[in-house]
Amino acid sequence: MTTILENPVADKIQAVVLPTIVLDFDSTFTQVEALDILAEQLFSSDPARLTDITAIKDLTDLAMSGEISFAEALQRRVQILRPTAEDLKGLVETLKGLVSASVARNKEAFLRHPGKFRIISGGFHDFIAPVVAEYGIRPEHILANRLVFGDDGIATGVDQGNPLSKDGGKVVALQGWDITGPVVMVGDGWTDFEVYKGGAADRFYAFVENVKREKVVQATHGIEAAQVVVSFDEVLHNEGFEGRYSFPRSRLKVLLLENVHPTAIQAFREEGYDVTTVKGALDEDDLIAAIQGVHILGIRSKTTVTQKVLDAADKLLAVGAFCIGTNQIDLKGCSKKGIAVFNAPYSNTRSVVEMVMGLTVILTRNIYDKSIQMHTGKWDKSATGAHEVRNKTIGIIGYGAIGSQLSILAEAFGMRVIYYDVAEKLTLGNARRYRSLDALLAEADVLSIHVDGRAENKNLMGAAQFAKMKDGALFINLSRGHVVDIEALAAALKSGKIYGAAVDVFPEEPRTNDDPFVSPLTGIKNLILTPHIGGSTEEAQEAIGEFASERLLNFLNRGDTTFSVNMPNVQLSEVEGRHRFLHIHQNVPGVMAAINNIIAKYNLNILAQHLKTNESLGYVIVDVDRGYSKEALEELKAVTGTLKFRSLT
């Protein structure tokens, strides 16, 4: 059983003295280095000044890494920039939109604790104060440099009387503040670490959400009071503040394999999760090694999630299939461990359907073989064997999301549509359902397969089925490789029974692009072979990335299981002003009673409660007031039959 207690002691925790948290501004409070942004605003439209942009950025990097003195870098940058007060106003508006994601989402924490969050920066008060003011940080709680302006209104240098204009200035400046209680320094640069090293701060967090400076990260090693954090959520959690999330999301690990679309990666990172990506698929042994400590696994079609993988998954909460099928995932094994599985059943529908129609036209007109002949220097301008698709009959096996949309497009091409499906479906347009597969095979001029990957569909199309098709018919498979007997298809094509075919999926497929493709189908005339690209359009992959990541994030952030393929489907609202218990258990008698007894025992005030079950799982969601004890949570997760338990705020 895996348990994540996101706020285990909630409001019962004893009052503690909250520390004063001092943040660096550049690349910590904001995502960027302000002077770099100012350089881009001032010089990007002037080709003659582009080298100055590079010079500014180089000086910034050298200073932040501790390779040149901060004072030298600061003075040289100001002399290159020479900004006016009006230039700084434009910079302020830009920086307001570039606050670090984890800082921005915790704005309420800043506003709830005035004076507990302060800024120290080698940057300039002139543009820092207006940006942080929106977070309740007053000017007197900002230590920063001041620009010196000439009579012409152009900045010419830095106030040299300010200790921050000199090396080691942060230590001196911070020690001048009258702060009661512990001081915590949060920053990305070497000068920030120097604050802790120089004794001006009790603890130090190397902030790497925006940039990771290896010298700073290495310096924290072996120091108990210093650590690396990938988000401000971790700082708030560690220091006792109540932030946007009571459990730092950066501690939840997301592993995305097989070139999952960047929109998915971005979605998880924007929500504060720790994301690792792998370009290709992983075999069982490699996945077993990689899955330990992972909370969310994202795959496509080539990675197989077996029982052995699940046995090694000590923290896994959910698996996302960034594709349509889930036959590569042991769904029963996931259910037994309370692991939710999601897919994207509709996102690549249009891409697959368009490819089927394109292949239908290409095969009907014999375009593929004529193109090959042209590449060998043969000109074969002939109408023999070329036909229009209009008035032809397309037979669709499997009338789900793809099959039904194919029905619409084929009808728009003037084709007659017939379909076969074992389940009752809503017939669209003028399509006609056939109750007999054999009857459909006998009438179809074009046969297109769109069934799922269940074991019962193996060799759905074999020698007997090809023999029942019309002489000279066309065959298209963009569904699953194992549903077609490849040897039987090859024989039907070679004999002329099937005039042409297009196959996009195969029983055995190369794991990577570097592996060879071997099949009995290679070299056959009027046969188009494609490398499993039916849904591989940029539009489809982006839609899949958005859909699947949204499902997974909704499950993580609020417990929503809508569209899960193995969990009871429950649609839930955001968690606001309350705590939410998520209890996944075996569907056995007595669990709900046990949960309610514990709630009554600890006098918890229920704001909302849901129970949804399927044949193997039960899912209880309880929203309660904020006050409860750690003991109540321990008893809830110890209920007989519990598989997973989480608490959200």
Side-chain angles (χ1 to χ4, degrees):
M1 182 188 73
T2 298
T3 303
I4 296 180
L5 302 179
E6 302 201 17
N7 192 358
V9 294
D11 297 341
K12 299 290 184 179
I13 192 168
Q14 292 183 348
V16 296
V17 177
L18 293 174
T20 298
I21 296 183
V22 182
L23 295 93
D24 177 39
F25 183 75
D26 294 303
S27 295
T28 299
F29 191 92
T30 64
Q31 304 170 29
V32 295
E33 295 290 323
L35 294 186
D36 292 356
I37 299 300
L38 181 59
E40 292 176 0
Q41 291 183 347
L42 294 177
F43 306 145
S44 60
S45 60
D46 183 358
R49 302 297 303 272
L50 294 180
T51 55
D52 289 334
I53 297 177
T54 302
I56 292 289
K57 292 182 177 180
D58 288 345
L59 287 167
T60 299
D61 290 339
L62 290 170
M64 291 302 99
S65 299
E67 296 178 48
I68 65 172
S69 73
F70 178 80
E72 176 189 354
L74 184 65
Q75 189 67 31
R76 286 169 61 182
R77 284 181 290 175
V78 172
Q79 290 172 351
I80 294 172
L81 290 166
R82 294 174 56 81
T84 66
E86 198 63 30
D87 294 330
L88 297 181
K89 288 181 181 179
L91 175 63
V92 166
E93 292 309 308
T94 300
L95 293 176
K96 285 181 178 179
L98 293 173
V99 173
S100 294
S102 65
V103 171
R105 64 174 169 258
N106 285 292
K107 186 175 182 179
E108 289 301 317
F110 285 82
L111 298 175
R112 279 197 303 269
H113 301 282
K116 283 297 183 181
F117 296 95
R118 304 189 181 194
I119 299 292
I120 189 167
S121 172
F124 294 97
H125 206 285
D126 312 67
F127 56 75
I128 292 174
V131 175
V132 302
E134 296 185 356
Y135 288 74
I137 301 176
R138 299 193 297 270
E140 60 267 30
H141 292 153
I142 302 168
L143 294 176
N145 278 300
R146 302 274 183 170
L147 286 166
V148 175
F149 290 89
D151 294 337
D152 56 0
I154 297 175
T156 57
V158 182
D159 177 8
Q160 294 298 317
N162 189 323
L164 287 165
S165 66
K166 301 176 175 59
D167 291 339
K170 283 188 176 181
V171 176
V172 175
L174 187 53
Q175 287 174 334
W177 253 339
D178 184 17
I179 298 177
T180 301
V183 175
V184 175
M185 182 68 212
V186 182
D188 65 286
W190 184 252
T191 58
D192 304 315
F193 177 70
E194 285 181 331
V195 171
Y196 166 76
K197 188 178 179 182
D202 299 282
R203 293 183 288 280
F204 172 68
Y205 291 95
F207 189 77
V208 298
E209 180 175 321
N210 303 306
V211 61
K212 185 176 183 180
R213 306 190 193 280
E214 287 300 332
K215 182 178 180 180
V216 180
V217 171
Q218 292 295 325
T220 66
H221 291 174
I223 300 177
E224 186 176 349
Q227 68 180 80
V228 179
V229 293
V230 298
S231 77
F232 195 58
D233 303 301
E234 290 190 61
V235 178
L236 293 175
H237 180 79
N238 291 347
E239 298 301 334
F241 289 85
E242 185 176 345
R244 174 64 181 84
Y245 311 128
S246 56
F247 184 90
R249 292 182 174 182
S250 54
R251 295 185 185 180
L252 295 185
K253 298 185 180 298
V254 179
L255 175 61
L256 302 177
L257 310 180
E258 301 185 65
N259 281 333
V260 165
H261 196 275
T263 57
I265 301 169
Q266 181 181 358
F268 283 109
R269 285 181 173 158
E270 285 180 350
E271 291 286 332
Y273 294 103
D274 181 7
V275 181
T276 300
T277 62
V278 177
K279 183 177 180 180
L282 296 181
D283 61 24
E284 186 177 64
D285 290 341
D286 290 337
L287 185 54
I288 287 172
I291 200 69
Q292 296 177 38
V294 169
H295 298 86
I296 298 294
L297 173 65
I299 63 172
R300 292 175 68 186
S301 58
K302 290 185 178 180
T303 299
T304 301
V305 181
T306 64
Q307 185 60 55
K308 288 184 178 180
V309 171
L310 295 174
D311 290 341
D314 55 337
K315 298 290 180 66
L316 194 61
L317 297 174
V319 178
F322 286 74
C323 53
I324 294 178
T326 57
N327 57 296
Q328 72 278 36
I329 302 168
D330 185 342
L331 295 179
K332 289 184 178 179
C334 286
S335 295
K336 288 179 180 178
K337 296 195 69 175
I339 297 168
V341 180
F342 298 86
N343 66 340
Y346 312 114
S347 302
N348 68 357
T349 298
R350 179 71 185 196
S351 296
V352 175
V353 168
E354 286 186 2
M355 184 167 169
V356 172
M357 289 309 304
L359 291 168
T360 299
V361 173
I362 290 171
L363 289 169
T364 304
R365 293 291 300 275
N366 202 19
I367 293 172
Y368 175 66
D369 281 349
K370 289 185 182 297
S371 175
I372 291 176
Q373 290 172 359
M374 290 287 287
H375 281 284
T376 61
K378 183 176 180 179
W379 180 275
D380 181 18
K381 187 177 185 299
S382 169
T384 303
H387 301 278
E388 295 180 349
V389 299
R390 182 176 53 174
N391 295 325
K392 299 298 185 295
T393 297
I394 183 169
I396 302 170
I397 302 180
Y399 203 69
I402 294 174
S404 58
Q405 190 167 141
L406 173 59
S407 169
I408 297 296
L409 261 66
E411 195 169 296
F413 271 71
M415 300 186 77
R416 172 176 172 256
V417 179
I418 58 177
Y419 73 91
Y420 171 79
D421 199 301
V422 295
E424 196 69 35
K425 300 289 185 179
L426 174 64
T427 301
L428 303 180
N430 295 314
R432 183 181 172 192
R433 181 184 181 188
Y434 275 37
R435 304 277 177 178
S436 166
L437 176 59
D438 290 349
L440 179 135
L441 296 175
E443 284 194 32
D445 298 302
V446 181
L447 184 68
S448 190
I449 312 294
H450 300 286
V451 298
D452 61 28
R454 69 188 68 182
E456 294 87 342
N457 286 330
K458 183 176 181 180
N459 290 342
L460 176 67
M461 289 297 297
Q465 287 72 37
F466 287 119
K468 293 173 183 177
M469 290 179 65
K470 291 177 68 172
D471 291 343
L474 302 176
F475 176 79
I476 299 174
N477 182 25
L478 273 72
S479 61
R480 302 290 188 275
H482 71 271
V483 306
V484 178
D485 182 337
I486 294 298
E487 297 283 356
L489 174 59
L493 284 161
K494 291 175 181 178
S495 70
K497 175 66 177 180
I498 302 301
Y499 178 72
V503 180
D504 184 54
V505 288
F506 306 88
E508 299 291 335
E509 296 182 357
R511 184 168 292 275
T512 70
N513 289 343
D514 297 326
D515 296 330
F517 170 68
V518 179
S519 172
L521 297 175
T522 55
I524 299 176
K525 182 181 178 181
N526 207 25
L527 171 59
I528 301 174
L529 303 178
T530 50
H532 204 148
I533 57 171
S536 295
T537 62
E538 292 185 10
E539 294 85 354
Q541 292 308 307
E542 181 175 1
I544 289 172
E546 291 176 353
F547 186 90
S549 62
E550 184 178 356
R551 301 280 75 74
L552 291 165
L553 285 168
N554 286 349
F555 177 67
L556 280 175
N557 297 345
R558 61 176 187 251
D560 192 304
T561 53
T562 306
F563 290 108
S564 172
V565 299
N566 69 324
M567 290 281 293
N569 276 207
V570 182
Q571 187 174 3
L572 298 170
S573 61
E574 295 289 346
V575 185
E576 295 182 356
R578 59 185 64 191
H579 286 200
R580 176 170 292 166
F581 302 154
L582 306 174
H583 191 280
I584 302 172
H585 56 269
Q586 298 168 358
N587 188 7
V588 295
V591 175
M592 192 70 210
I595 291 173
N596 285 333
N597 286 338
I598 295 168
I599 290 173
K601 175 182 176 181
Y602 288 94
N603 198 29
L604 303 184
N605 183 36
I606 297 177
L607 302 177
Q609 189 175 56
H610 308 268
L611 168 65
K612 194 75 175 287
T613 63
N614 61 23
E615 61 182 12
S616 61
L617 294 174
Y619 188 29
V620 175
I621 304 98
V622 184
D623 288 358
V624 300
D625 278 339
R626 299 166 84 79
Y628 55 85
S629 68
K630 181 178 180 181
E631 289 74 20
L633 297 183
E634 293 297 330
E635 289 195 29
L636 285 169
K637 71 177 180 178
V639 169
T640 302
T642 301
L643 299 173
K644 291 281 193 295
F645 178 79
R646 292 193 291 150
S647 171
L648 303 176
T649 63

